[in-house]
Amino acid sequence: MTGTALVLLLLTVVAPVLWLGVEHWMRGRARDGLAVPRSAAIIHTIGLIVLLGLATATAIVAATAGPAAGFAAAAAPVIAAIAAITGGGPVVRAVLQLGGVRAGPTPPHDPDADDTDTDTTETEPSDPTEVGPLRGGRVIGYLERLAVVTTLMAGWPEGLAIILAVKSLARYPELRAPQASEQFIMGTFASVLWAIGLAGIEHLITT
């Protein structure tokens, strides 16, 4: 059962890579001037469900299995940390998308177009963690989730307060921009909760 939990944890690492590949393909089409379906939100929702499902399945299997030993015990923290770092980005983007935070300009309306046109395509918006009032969100997110999961694995949950305080103080001057506070709160909560969940999974596997 411990081996099954590790396999599911590895799938949790791989799934975000596939998800990011789909997003990159959609952005490439948008940059080439090709239409991107409005199903981007659906793709984000499906990706979020898949990731949460894998994490939940891993937690259930790990809870029913005995403590890992040997290589499995050593590998679980590393795999969980990688899953926390890489999986958090897509989770944050999906939460921002579903929460109504949009980055990038809306394509202008063509005044010569027929108002009855029912075209259901749009250009894919830029990454909301990279463009908008809060820039550099991707790298900050990686470091934030690494710090959170490492702190919890080390048995020092008080470190969460320091991590969130440092991030909040550093971002404070930018939070007055339009949509900045909403993006900050939703993105931070989604990122931190994902990292906490992976730390919990690691704890279930190793204890």
Side-chain angles (χ1 to χ4, degrees), residues 180-199:
S181 58
E182 293 89 344
Q183 180 177 333
F184 178 82
I185 292 172
M186 286 191 287
T188 299
F189 279 8
S191 178
V192 171
L193 287 174
W194 175 257
I196 291 174
L198 268 297

Side-chain angles (χ1 to χ4, degrees), residues 10-90:
L10 283 171
L11 291 176
T12 308
V13 173
V14 173
V17 177
L18 300 177
W19 186 352
L20 291 174
V22 173
E23 288 185 344
H24 180 73
W25 173 78
M26 294 178 68
R27 291 196 194 100
R29 287 178 61 89
R31 284 194 297 268
D32 293 338
L34 301 176
V36 178
R38 287 187 183 271
S39 59
I42 298 176
I43 293 175
H44 280 102
T45 303
I46 294 174
L48 183 61
I49 292 173
V50 169
L51 271 182
L52 293 179
L54 284 171
T56 302
T58 306
I60 293 173
V61 173
T64 58
F71 174 79
V78 176
I79 299 173
I82 295 173
I85 294 169
T86 60

